[in-house]
Amino acid sequence: MPSGHHSSGRPRRRPLPLLHRLRALAAVAALGAATLLPVATAAPAQAAARVDNPYAGAGVYVNPEWAANAAAEPGGSAVAGQPTAVWLDRISAISGTSGHLGLRGHLDNAVRQAAGKPFVVQLVVYDLPGRDCAALASNGELGPTEIGRYRTEFIDPIAAVLADPAYAGLRIVTTVEIDSLPNLVTNAGGTATATPQCDTMKANGNYVNGVGYALAKLGAIPNVYNYVDAGHHGWLGWDSNLGPAVDVLHQAATAAGSTTANVHGFIVNTANYSALKEPYYTVDDSVNGTSVRQSAWVDWNRYVDELSYAQAFRQKAVAAGFDPAIGMLIDTSRNGWGGAARPTGPGARTSVDSYVDGGRTDRRFQTGNWCNQSGAGLGERPRTAPEPGIDAYVWVKPPGESDGASRLIPNDEGKGFDRMCDPTYTGNARNNFHLSGALPNAPLAGAWFSAQFQELLKNAYPPVTGDGTGDTTPPSTPAGLRSTGATAATVSLAWTASTDDVGVTGYDVRRNGTLVGSTSGAAAISYTDNGLTASTAYGYTVAARDAAGNSSAASPVLTVTTAAGGGGGGGNTGCTATYRVGSDWGGGFNADVTVTNTGTAAATGWKVTWTWGGTQQITNLWNGVLTQSGTGVSVANAPYNGALAAGASTGFGFGAGYSGSNPAPTLSCTAS
């Protein structure tokens, strides 16, 4: 399956023209951090009480170095006051380098900004041995076997600083080692996208043990809240990736003396570009009987945006043994995708590809593209508890800091040249051989990249206003939700229009709590849900949204029961099933099955059966309901894809393991 990678580093600020330097210093002074040099260590503070959500009721640290860079850009002062994370990506970053603040300097400034009130400071802990084994732009200073140096020269000194009583009043949020553990799932162990470097790190265990050590040391400090990186939906959203990813994270959380109690939450989309919400299509949509999961963009993924992925990841993590109260963070620093190219409604329903490509707000060539993306914009401003299970939207990757150089640049930071940062590169297996989508003339990872910052500012969604906050007032809650008709496979809904201080742009419809569709326009106050099961009760809510991305509260739940089903008025039904292996790495494989209604009448359900000719056993399956006994397998339709018009197709996919040979089975299909 496709996967995405990203990189970052500590900013290396270029010299600024005099006028810009004056503006930058003025902006920093307004933040209450009047100097970029370390300040005197504050007196010991009263220890902060442990809380469920560290962002609740708290201010968040504004990095004066990033703020100065942002304020020096035309229009940048509108967002220069936004909080961003401090990246500790080298041993020397702990003490500070080349006139930049070290860890104590940032913490001292945070104490000053806090002024005795609850306050969060965000740190990225990012220097594992053999760092980022599937990319080059973010390679690090430690070799694959230097786990000892990682512990004694990197983690131990960080922990010693964080444990200083002077900082006990801060809520210190860490993002722990982005990319590392997800790389062990998709890019090691015989997968099609494996690299020798990732195979090495999986074999020597230094990613798992390094993360475990960091969690144990940092988690022992009462006011530290560890959030572990969990990739993004375009990397781990497939069942064959998501389950193993949760397992690897659990393994790391219990390695090297750590326990799951040291994990306060997970963070997704770190330094990436995956859209927060896709308003114009859902994973359950279909076009002419074909699921959008079969589109080239979705590619059988179960998730189409970061919010749905983050909420699902949280549920799976809890089921795997993590704390039921665990929270999620989503990095929204560069996933706004606004500007002139942003769609205003669904795509054409001529095919699943036209429907998805015309309506998706994520305008990348492919979800595996991660480097300095052209057309990207600033996303949702940092916000606390915006959705169920989400502790906060955060800007962990400081906008304007490069993901990597677009050409080879010799350096002493261990950062290589990755072709994914070259705009002329036509791709690799990890992005299904698409163009990279990268901006030209990019500097080293972490260096200030003015062209990228201007691109993000221009394409911000919600758009950036004079004060940088945008519209924050949600529309009113839709009223009068009602059913205007129901068949065995459809439910039609209508409601009363909402109001907004700027203007309603559409509505989101949820079935049993899951987003199933959206409408576009203030007057679009009706929706028909299809692909349902006969004689089944469904609970619906609707919420309004505006151009700034604000959503109203959901309407009260309306329960509608579909009519009793029939086989299309007594007509003939039948189906065929075709089997295709998408990838086989020896000992495991992924396969897709396409189901087609070959009858002359609509079908309300289908079932595919077969008997394995070898030792194959399905480990996870999507888009269907699995029954498996020995070598016998049957897969029935899921509740949302059983209804098939005559000639229409849908499908399902699965991951399986085997030993020996992997012969293709003979499938049988029945429809009703």
Side-chain angles (χ1 to χ4, degrees):
M1 294 295 179
S3 63
H5 305 277
H6 40 75
S7 58
S8 183
R10 204 163 177 278
R12 298 178 64 194
R13 193 153 49 100
R14 56 178 169 77
L16 300 175
L18 177 60
L19 178 59
H20 281 182
R21 289 203 301 270
L22 293 175
R23 289 176 179 168
L25 290 173
V28 172
L31 298 173
T35 177
L36 296 183
L37 297 177
V39 299
T41 301
Q46 182 177 357
R50 194 77 177 171
V51 295
D52 289 336
N53 181 353
Y55 292 86
V60 187
Y61 177 60
V62 177
N63 180 348
E65 295 185 315
W66 177 82
N69 277 330
E73 293 284 343
S77 59
V79 296
Q82 294 291 347
T84 57
V86 174
W87 286 67
L88 302 173
D89 72 332
R90 283 175 288 162
I91 292 169
S92 60
I94 302 170
S95 58
T97 59
S98 304
H100 293 294
L101 291 172
L103 177 56
R104 283 192 179 276
H106 283 294
L107 295 175
D108 289 339
N109 270 332
V111 170
R112 291 165 63 98
Q113 290 184 22
K117 298 177 182 178
F119 205 74
V120 170
V121 61
Q122 303 172 110
L123 307 176
V124 177
V125 177
Y126 185 48
D127 200 27
L128 272 177
R131 189 178 73 192
D132 208 342
C133 57
L136 298 173
S138 52
N139 287 163
E141 63 188 347
L142 299 179
T145 63
E146 293 188 290
I147 187 68
R149 290 189 64 198
Y150 177 75
R151 292 169 177 157
T152 61
E153 298 180 41
F154 186 64
I155 295 299
D156 289 354
I158 291 174
V161 173
L162 300 188
D164 190 320
Y167 311 125
L170 298 173
R171 300 174 183 177
I172 301 171
V173 170
T174 66
T175 292
V176 178
E177 296 295 354
I178 63 174
D179 283 350
S180 59
L181 301 176
N183 269 327
L184 300 183
V185 175
T186 62
N187 299 319
T191 64
T193 55
T195 70
Q197 295 86 348
C198 289
D199 284 335
T200 295
M201 299 317 299
K202 185 170 186 176
N204 69 22
N206 283 344
Y207 277 4
V208 168
N209 289 320
V211 170
Y213 186 83
L215 292 174
K217 290 288 290 189
L218 303 178
I221 304 168
N223 59 319
V224 170
Y225 300 79
N226 292 318
Y227 289 79
V228 183
D229 183 74
H232 58 89
H233 89 274
W235 185 356
L236 301 178
W238 292 267
D239 287 350
S240 54
N241 291 345
L242 185 52
V246 172
D247 292 342
V248 169
L249 265 64
H250 191 275
Q251 181 184 358
T254 54
S258 181
T259 70
T260 57
N262 292 318
V263 179
H264 197 79
F266 299 96
I267 181 168
V268 299
N269 203 45
T270 315
N272 212 270
Y273 299 85
S274 295
L276 177 66
K277 301 176 184 177
E278 285 289 1
Y280 302 124
Y281 75 101
T282 77
V283 74
D284 293 329
D285 289 352
S286 62
V287 176
N288 301 323
T290 301
S291 168
V292 301
R293 295 187 68 198
Q294 297 185 56
S295 67
W297 173 260
V298 179
D299 190 25
W300 293 105
N301 200 328
R302 190 173 291 280
Y303 308 100
V304 299
D305 54 35
E306 284 307 290
L307 179 58
S308 62
Y309 170 72
Q311 291 172 325
F313 188 96
R314 180 183 178 279
Q315 292 178 342
K316 291 184 180 295
V318 170
F322 287 97
D323 189 334
I326 207 161
M328 303 293 296
L329 303 178
I330 303 177
D331 187 353
T332 60
S333 59
R334 304 183 302 173
N335 67 349
W337 295 105
R342 184 179 177 88
T344 57
R349 300 188 69 91
T350 52
S351 70
V352 289
D353 284 327
S354 62
Y355 176 68
V356 171
D357 289 338
R360 60 182 169 91
T361 61
D362 187 338
R363 307 308 298 170
R364 287 178 291 180
F365 292 116
Q366 211 269 344
T367 56
N369 288 359
W370 55 265
C371 194
N372 299 323
Q373 290 299 286
S374 175
L378 300 172
E380 286 276 358
R381 313 306 178 253
R383 185 150 52 105
T384 300
E387 296 280 352
I390 309 300
D391 282 351
Y393 296 152
V394 293
W395 282 11
V396 167
K397 171 70 173 183
E401 292 186 9
S402 175
D403 291 323
S406 53
R407 59 181 177 82
L408 179 62
I409 299 178
N411 65 92
D412 60 359
E413 301 175 37
K415 295 170 183 174
F417 168 50
D418 196 301
R419 288 295 306 279
M420 285 298 291
C421 298
D422 175 0
T424 68
Y425 185 47
T426 54
N428 54 44
R430 285 187 289 281
N431 81 333
N432 281 351
F433 299 96
H434 285 75
L435 284 168
S436 70
L439 292 170
N441 304 315
L444 282 177
W448 188 256
F449 188 12
S450 178
Q452 189 217 48
F453 184 85
Q454 290 298 321
E455 185 89 345
L456 297 173
L457 200 62
K458 176 182 68 175
N459 297 317
Y461 192 88
V464 172
T465 60
D467 62 1
T469 61
D471 173 17
T472 59
T473 302
S476 64
T477 302
L481 179 61
R482 60 197 182 276
S483 171
T484 57
T487 69
T490 66
V491 168
S492 296
L493 303 169
W495 55 90
T496 303
S498 296
T499 58
D500 185 68
D501 62 331
V502 177
V504 174
T505 58
Y507 299 85
D508 295 328
V509 179
R510 284 177 166 80
R511 181 209 311 140
N512 298 337
T514 300
L515 183 68
V516 294
S518 299
T519 68
S520 180
I525 54 174
S526 63
Y527 179 81
T528 297
D529 189 23
N530 53 38
L532 306 178
T533 301
S535 302
T536 302
Y538 296 97
Y540 290 94
T541 61
V542 62
R545 64 180 186 279
D546 62 21
N550 301 308
S551 293
S552 73
S555 67
V557 176
L558 171 71
T559 300
V560 183
T561 301
T562 51
N572 177 51
T573 59
C575 62
T576 59
T578 57
Y579 175 91
R580 180 181 69 88
V581 173
S583 59
D584 188 327
W585 51 91
F589 67 101
N590 289 329
D592 301 321
V593 175
T594 301
V595 178
T596 303
N597 181 357
T598 57
T600 58
T604 59
W606 48 263
K607 180 183 289 187
V608 178
T609 60
W610 70 88
T611 300
W612 290 119
T615 62
Q616 301 98 324
Q617 286 288 297
I618 294 175
T619 55
N620 52 81
L621 182 139
W622 50 95
N623 224 31
V625 178
L626 171 67
T627 301
Q628 184 172 237
S629 178
T631 59
V633 177
S634 70
V635 178
N637 59 275
Y640 52 82
N641 65 356
L644 284 180
S649 297
T650 186
F652 60 90
F654 60 85
Y658 71 93
S659 60
S661 61
N662 184 22
T666 300
L667 307 186
S668 297
C669 185
T670 57
S672 58

